[in-house]
Amino acid sequence: MAGNSLGKEFVVTTFGESHGKIVGVLIDGCPAGLPLSEEDFQEELDQRIPAQPKIVSARVEKDEAKILSGVFNGKTTGAPIAITVNNKEIRSSDYDQIKDLPRPGHSDYPAHVRYGSFNDYRGGGRFSGRVTVALILAGTIAKKLLGVYGIDVLAYTISIGKIRSEKRFNAVETRKNRSIAATRCPDLTCAEKMEEAIVAAKNAGDSIGGIVECIALNMPVGIGEPLFDALDADLAKALFGVSAVKGVEFGAGFAATEMFGSQNNDEFIMKNGKVESTTDNAGGILGGISSGMPIRIRVAIKPTPSISKEQKTINLSTMKDDMLSVKGRHDPCVVPKAVPAIEAVVAITLIDHLIRAGYISKILEKEEEKKEK
C-alpha cells in the first residue's frame, strides 16, 4: 500500500491502523532548533475528542504522544522525527461478524477487491479516521514552525446538516469558542442547534455530515509552485487524504459560478502602505500562488457511513444479496473530529511550500533573535 507520504521538503509519512498497536508519523525535513516536547502535542490531541458523549463514539482514547527520535535537549536536531500514539480502546470482535459484509459508504468492498485476504477489515484498518491522529501530530510541528513567522492556521465547523452559521469571529474569539463547543463551531448559539441535530440523527440510527472552514492568516505573497504543485492544488490533495472529505473549495468556491467577473474579481487597494484587496473571493490564492490575503478553504465532510439502520449489501463469501445493520462504537457525526485534522494538513502543506521557498531555512536564527529580544 503506497501513498502514505505527504510533502516534498517537509515530508510526512503516517503509519498504523485503527485496531493495530499504534498509529504514528515520521517527519523528515523539520529544521533544527525548534523547541519541542511531548506536552506540545497533548492540547492538539485533546481537541480531537469533544467532551460530549452524546455526539461522539463510545471509543474514547486518552491519546498520549511519544517522541522516539529527532529531539535532543528539548530541541529538534534536524534528523527525522518519529512520534507514536498507542491504540488502547480496541474491540476488534465488533467486526468479526461483518468481515464478509462490506459496509455501504465505506472502503470495505474496494479494499477487499484490491488487497483480498490481506485487507485489515477491523474498524476500517488503514482507511479509518483513527489514522488522522498521525496528521495531528505532524500538524502540531508544522503550526509551531508557522508561528515563528506569525502565520496562524485555524479550522472550525460552520455547518452540520442544514444548520449553518454565517457568523465569523476574530482568531482569538474563534479559538476560544471552538474549544468550548463540542461541535467545534465558534458560534455558540448555532453550536447548540448542531448538537441537537447530531443527537437526533443518532437516535434515528443514522448519521449526519457538515462543513469545516479553515483560514490561514499572515501568509506572505508568492508561495506556491505552479502549475502542478500549485498551492491550492497541493492543499486540495492533502485535504482529500483526510477521511470522509468529499469536497474542497477556496474563497467563493462554487458560488463564483453565479457571479459576474466584476463581482468575483478582488480589487486591489493600498492600505497602510501594503497591497490589499477589497474582497477575498479567490481565497488568498491566485494562479496557484498566495496573494497575501487570508487563505480561506471550506471542506465538505460526509455523514459517517457506519449506521445502525439496516441497509442492503452483499455477502462476499456467498456473493449473494444480504442485509447489514452496523453495531459497535461509531460517531453519529465525524465533523468535530475532522476539524483538527483539517487544520493539521493545511499547516503541513503551507510549511512544506514555505520551506521550498526558503522561508524556514534559518529557523535557528529566528529562535535566537527571539531570545535576544
Side-chain angles (χ1 to χ4, degrees):
M1 182 185 289
N4 298 297
S5 297
L6 175 66
K8 292 192 173 181
E9 294 293 335
F10 186 84
V11 183
V12 171
T13 302
T14 71
F15 54 89
E17 299 82 31
S18 177
H19 285 227
K21 292 182 179 179
I22 60 171
V23 291
V25 65
L26 181 68
I27 301 136
D28 196 6
C30 179
L34 181 73
L36 190 67
S37 69
E38 291 174 349
E39 288 72 28
D40 289 326
F41 300 98
Q42 200 57 56
E43 183 178 352
E44 301 289 336
L45 290 171
D46 290 344
Q47 279 290 318
R48 186 175 171 272
I49 308 294
Q52 173 50 277
K54 291 182 180 179
I55 70 167
V56 297
S57 162
R59 180 183 178 179
V60 178
E61 307 248 13
K62 180 58 178 176
D63 293 326
E64 296 176 340
K66 298 295 181 185
I67 299 175
L68 305 182
S69 67
V71 177
F72 179 65
N73 287 336
K75 300 283 184 69
T76 57
T77 65
I81 303 169
I83 315 164
T84 60
V85 169
N86 289 335
N87 286 333
K88 301 173 183 176
E89 290 291 326
I90 297 172
R91 203 164 71 194
S92 301
S93 58
D94 288 343
Y95 297 90
D96 290 343
Q97 293 183 338
I98 64 169
K99 65 179 182 178
D100 293 325
L101 301 174
R103 296 165 295 172
H106 270 285
S107 61
D108 297 352
Y109 173 65
H112 169 81
V113 172
R114 175 70 186 271
Y115 303 109
S117 61
F118 303 109
N119 181 52
D120 185 351
Y121 58 83
R122 303 167 303 166
R126 184 72 181 138
F127 301 94
S128 170
R130 173 67 182 159
V131 302
T132 60
V133 168
L135 293 172
I136 293 169
L137 296 173
T140 301
I141 297 175
K143 285 189 283 186
K144 283 180 72 72
L145 287 168
L146 290 173
V148 173
Y149 285 82
I151 299 167
D152 191 14
V153 178
L154 185 58
Y156 43 89
T157 302
I158 62 169
S159 78
I160 297 291
K162 294 182 179 180
I163 300 169
R164 181 166 181 146
S165 171
E166 300 297 338
K167 290 184 179 180
R168 297 295 179 269
F169 305 88
N170 63 40
V172 174
E173 291 175 310
T174 298
R175 188 167 274 109
K176 177 183 175 182
N177 290 357
R178 180 191 70 172
S179 66
I180 295 171
T183 57
R184 303 303 183 227
C185 175
D187 181 348
L188 297 181
T189 300
C190 200
E192 290 185 14
K193 296 177 182 178
M194 291 177 177
E195 282 191 39
E196 292 171 2
I198 294 171
V199 172
K202 180 181 179 181
N203 291 341
D206 219 323
S207 62
I208 194 167
I211 298 173
V212 174
E213 184 169 80
C214 186
I215 57 171
L217 304 173
N218 306 319
M219 274 291 291
V221 182
I223 304 301
E225 305 292 335
L227 292 173
F228 300 110
D229 286 340
L231 186 58
D232 46 358
D234 276 358
L235 282 166
K237 178 182 178 179
L239 287 164
F240 275 110
V242 176
S243 302
V245 170
K246 298 302 291 182
V248 175
E249 66 176 13
F250 296 83
F254 284 97
T257 64
E258 300 176 4
M259 298 178 181
F260 291 106
S262 57
Q263 296 170 312
N264 184 59
N265 291 342
D266 299 315
E267 296 181 304
F268 293 111
I269 59 170
M270 291 299 298
K271 187 174 181 180
N272 299 324
K274 292 176 59 180
V275 176
E276 292 192 9
S277 61
T278 56
T279 53
D280 191 21
N281 291 319
I285 301 173
L286 290 166
I289 58 178
S290 57
S291 67
M293 300 302 106
I295 293 174
R296 189 176 300 274
I297 310 166
R298 282 177 296 279
V299 184
I301 308 295
K302 72 177 183 180
T304 315
S306 291
I307 59 175
S308 60
K309 273 191 172 182
E310 196 170 53
Q311 294 186 291
K312 295 177 182 178
T313 188
I314 49 95
N315 190 309
L316 294 172
S317 62
T318 64
M319 295 308 291
K320 292 183 179 180
D321 292 340
D322 211 325
M323 299 296 292
L324 173 66
S325 173
V326 182
K327 309 300 181 185
R329 303 170 294 173
H330 304 287
D331 295 283
C333 180
V334 296
V335 176
K337 286 185 177 179
V339 168
I342 296 299
E343 190 172 284
V345 296
V346 170
I348 291 166
T349 306
L350 293 183
I351 204 65
D352 181 49
H353 273 272
L354 283 159
I355 292 174
R356 292 195 223 179
Y359 274 77
I360 315 294
S361 60
K362 296 183 179 180
I363 187 76
L364 268 172
E365 287 87 341
K366 278 281 183 182
E367 286 299 314
E368 290 302 320
E369 286 174 17
K370 284 184 179 179
K371 287 181 182 178
E372 291 174 6
K373 292 178 181 179

